[in-house]
Amino acid sequence: MRFAISFLVKCLFSRLLLVFLLLTLPIGAATSQAAGEKKAAHPPMNFILVRSLLCQENCPEWISAEGRITSDTPARLRKITKKIGGRKLPVVFRSEGGDVDAAYAMGRMIRKAGLETAVGGTRLKDCPVGDTRCQAAIAKDGSAVGYTYSSGAYCFSACPLALAGGVSRVSSQWALIGVHQITTIYNKVRVSYRIEYKIVNGKKKEISRKEVGRKVAGQSSSTKLGKKATAALTAYLKEMGVSEDVIGLMMSATPDNINIVPATEALRTGLITDMLSYNEWPGMPLCAPDALAEAVCHSHPVVEAPVVAKAPVSQASVQDAAAETSEKLPKTRPMDFLLMSNGNCQEECTQWISADGDITPDTPARLKAMLTTLGERKLPIVLQSSGGDMDAAFAMGRVIRAAGLETSIGRTQLPNCPKLDPRCKPSIAKSGPTEGEVFAGRAYCLSSCTLVLMSGTPRIVGYSSIGLVRPTTVEYTRFFAYFDEMGLSAETYETMMFATSIERGTILRSQALKLGIINGIIPYDEEPGLHVCGPEAKESLRCPRKAEAEIVPVAASVN
């Protein structure tokens, strides 16, 4: 006898979802602001094609990407990349994160299109402060006019994964990049089926099954990263050229916290490839190696001193060459050393040694003379030089390392001096420290100056240019022996040296960190050398303790 019996069988199964979380965190005003904005609204990420309003001709454009990353965000990104055609416009992110798989897809799309990425917010023209991307400022075709900013901008959670897709990726010391653990959420769903069966020889035999209903039956979560998720994350980071160390940074912060990645770590791990200078902004394209000084782009190539012609040339051609380069380059001179001070020495006075000019055979003797006058005082040495004699640079580095001094790159400006002569003699003190200011912006340490820079303990830079040293065949043995002496990887440096174009002659701070040429980034609110107080300064927050040694009056410049 055959008959059918219908009934409902209820069973449970779990569906795995990967999500990133961001909660309000006590990590400073900028982060609190980011959390507050997220708490107020979590709109899905949208994309606006923005043209800079800070220029009139050939204005830069960028893709402003702000909001939460959702499963349909890659489709939105694909739509706007199709709209811009083959143009290589930077993607400027400001996001609290979101869907991980979507971030992977975005990063791969950005890399395939050869686009750059940056962390920054966008303000559209005539929008109110509380609604910086107001709908009224966006044209019907989805474009707008505005400008970008770094201060308070953020890229959290899954956002750094999308950011990693850029062929070049930049941030500034005023913006925040944050990561944390992945939370795996298990959604329990109760599924109801209609099952038909028949009895055959006294046993049930199912002949059909049909789902008739679903109902949420609870939820659970875990911060353990499964093998499949770990493999996907590791493969993606490798594909984007980002260190697996990022996984450690992520796992060191719980889902309800955020691990703000310092600039040094972001550069070292490859989350970013360079830092924007004080006068650069998110959305600027990367400068080409032959970019003109007036080009609107970031990481301008440094103009190097012209190579002296070895073949005989006419007097007329020499004069023509001099006339052509005189307006581009400052006049060079042998390196001199000034004991500098900044601030009121009766209250808070910081001091440093300014080393500016070409390195010549007698430069090490000048340096030793300066240090002798200071006795046991350990002041930072702030360098600005196009390089010079390599053996002299070796000798300077050994003197600095033996003394345990800090090195950095900076441009020292004396008061009442013209721009073309920032160390004019009338402003140099006849005895004791010379008052002045120091800036990282537009400063440089090129060629053999890098050998001196790498001797510092520590060695830090801000928004300055670092040059690439290229030894001749005769110099190789001494060159790499010096590297070993300073504890740096000569093999890695040699590989990078041949992989970098000769015409460029400079390296990124991320490369300098990787090689060990520098081991720190100057905080955004400081300048090179401005953290060692003078011996006469009173104890304060900036000068926590008075130096015991006294200043020995010295000549401002050792000649």
Side-chain angles (χ1 to χ4, degrees):
M1 185 175 97
R2 180 176 178 177
F3 60 95
I5 301 176
S6 298
F7 63 94
L8 297 178
V9 178
K10 297 184 178 181
C11 63
L12 297 176
F13 75 96
S14 299
R15 182 175 58 189
L16 185 64
L17 299 176
L18 291 182
V19 299
F20 278 75
L21 304 178
L22 172 67
L23 300 181
T24 306
L25 307 174
I27 57 174
T31 306
S32 297
Q33 178 188 4
E37 290 171 353
K38 180 181 182 295
K39 200 170 184 179
H42 298 265
M45 179 174 284
N46 68 342
F47 302 92
I48 304 173
L49 183 60
V50 187
R51 179 173 58 85
S52 174
L53 59 74
L54 303 178
C55 63
Q56 295 183 359
E57 295 182 1
N58 300 319
C59 295
E61 292 181 279
W62 64 92
I63 299 170
S64 172
E66 298 194 16
R68 178 170 46 88
I69 299 173
T70 62
S71 59
D72 64 346
T73 304
R76 294 169 180 259
L77 176 59
R78 186 178 293 109
K79 184 177 180 180
I80 196 165
T81 54
K82 185 177 180 180
K83 179 179 179 180
I84 65 175
R87 290 189 294 164
K88 306 293 185 182
L89 302 185
V91 182
V92 181
F93 283 105
R94 179 173 176 268
S95 171
E96 66 274 7
D99 188 285
V100 177
D101 289 332
Y104 289 158
M106 293 170 66
R108 291 186 171 108
M109 197 182 306
I110 289 169
R111 181 62 61 89
K112 184 177 180 180
L115 306 183
E116 301 169 24
T117 55
V119 180
T122 298
R123 287 192 177 96
L124 302 184
K125 184 181 179 183
D126 299 328
C127 283
V129 176
D131 186 11
T132 56
R133 297 164 91 240
C134 60
Q135 193 63 37
I138 304 174
K140 291 182 179 180
D141 62 357
S143 64
V145 176
Y147 62 94
T148 60
Y149 61 92
S150 289
S151 181
Y154 52 89
C155 182
F156 289 157
S157 196
C159 177
L161 298 175
L163 179 76
V167 290
S168 79
R169 36 203 183 270
V170 296
S171 182
S172 86
Q173 290 168 302
W174 290 274
L176 298 171
I177 297 176
V179 296
H180 60 177
Q181 286 180 351
I182 296 174
T183 297
T184 303
I185 296 180
Y186 298 90
N187 287 322
K188 295 180 180 179
V189 180
R190 189 178 296 275
V191 183
S192 300
Y193 297 95
R194 178 186 179 88
I195 301 176
E196 293 183 356
Y197 66 94
K198 66 181 180 178
I199 301 296
V200 179
N201 297 326
K203 296 181 179 180
K204 296 178 184 177
K205 183 178 180 181
E206 184 177 321
I207 60 174
S208 69
R209 176 184 293 252
K210 183 179 179 181
E211 183 180 322
V212 295
R214 287 177 175 244
K215 184 179 181 181
V216 177
Q219 190 179 79
S220 62
S221 63
S222 173
T223 57
K224 291 183 178 180
L225 199 59
K227 291 182 179 180
K228 188 175 180 180
T230 301
L233 178 58
T234 303
Y236 178 79
L237 294 176
K238 183 177 180 180
E239 181 183 346
M240 296 300 138
V242 178
S243 170
E244 291 184 19
D245 292 349
V246 170
I247 298 177
L249 295 173
M250 293 169 64
M251 300 307 290
S252 65
T254 58
D256 57 346
N257 284 279
I258 199 81
N259 189 354
I260 299 300
V261 184
T264 304
E265 278 296 287
L267 286 166
R268 184 187 67 80
T269 58
L271 276 176
I272 60 175
T273 56
D274 200 13
M275 297 288 292
L276 294 173
S277 298
Y278 70 99
N279 59 345
E280 297 170 345
W281 38 268
M284 273 187 168
L286 178 67
C287 292
D290 57 350
L292 300 176
E294 61 271 18
V296 182
C297 54
H298 71 82
S299 303
H300 277 274
V302 176
V303 180
E304 298 187 36
V307 178
V308 179
K310 296 182 179 179
V313 293
S314 65
Q315 184 65 27
S317 63
V318 172
Q319 292 175 348
D320 291 342
E324 183 180 354
T325 59
S326 62
E327 295 183 0
K328 297 180 181 179
L329 297 169
K331 294 180 180 179
T332 59
R333 59 178 180 275
M335 180 175 284
D336 64 348
F337 300 90
L338 294 179
L339 175 60
M340 300 297 304
S341 69
N342 180 280
N344 180 0
C345 284
Q346 298 302 316
E347 298 293 339
E348 296 179 340
C349 173
T350 53
Q351 296 187 337
W352 70 98
I353 298 170
S354 173
D356 195 299
D358 294 338
I359 300 172
T360 60
D362 63 346
T363 304
R366 294 170 179 262
L367 174 60
K368 287 181 181 179
M370 165 60 79
L371 298 182
T372 299
T373 62
L374 297 177
E376 298 298 319
R377 295 193 63 212
K378 295 182 181 295
L379 294 183
I381 296 182
V382 182
L383 298 158
Q384 176 160 272
S385 173
S386 295
D389 187 276
M390 185 171 287
D391 287 328
F394 290 154
M396 291 176 66
R398 292 182 176 110
V399 169
I400 292 171
R401 178 59 63 90
L405 305 182
E406 172 190 304
T407 57
S408 60
I409 307 174
R411 176 173 51 87
T412 297
Q413 179 73 45
L414 274 58
N416 304 317
C417 284
K419 289 185 178 180
L420 294 179
D421 187 16
R423 297 164 81 88
C424 59
K425 288 187 177 181
S427 293
I428 299 176
K430 295 181 179 180
S431 63
T434 296
E435 293 186 7
E437 296 180 280
V438 63
F439 308 96
R442 300 194 304 276
Y444 53 88
C445 181
L446 309 175
S447 187
S448 56
C449 176
T450 310
L451 299 172
V452 182
L453 176 68
M454 67 174 65
S455 68
T457 52
R459 41 199 181 274
I460 56 179
V461 299
Y463 301 122
S464 305
S465 297
I466 306 172
L468 186 69
V469 183
R470 296 178 181 276
T472 63
T473 304
V474 176
E475 296 168 332
Y476 256 70
T477 302
R478 287 175 296 143
F479 183 84
F480 290 121
Y482 178 80
F483 260 69
D484 292 336
E485 187 178 340
M486 294 297 146
L488 276 68
S489 170
E491 182 179 352
T492 306
Y493 189 88
E494 186 175 17
T495 301
M496 183 178 294
M497 184 174 59
F498 286 111
T500 307
S501 65
I502 294 176
E503 291 76 14
R504 188 177 183 200
T506 58
I507 57 176
L508 300 174
R509 278 173 289 184
S510 56
Q511 295 172 318
L513 278 167
K514 181 179 180 181
L515 292 169
I517 292 174
I518 60 174
N519 57 12
I521 302 293
I522 298 172
Y524 72 90
D525 58 346
E526 292 186 15
E527 294 290 356
L530 290 183
H531 53 269
V532 177
C533 293
E536 297 178 0
K538 293 181 179 179
E539 186 171 350
S540 65
L541 290 176
R542 189 174 182 182
C543 301
R545 61 181 182 276
K546 295 174 65 176
E548 296 180 359
E550 295 184 357
I551 297 180
V552 178
V554 297
S557 178
V558 182
N559 296 312

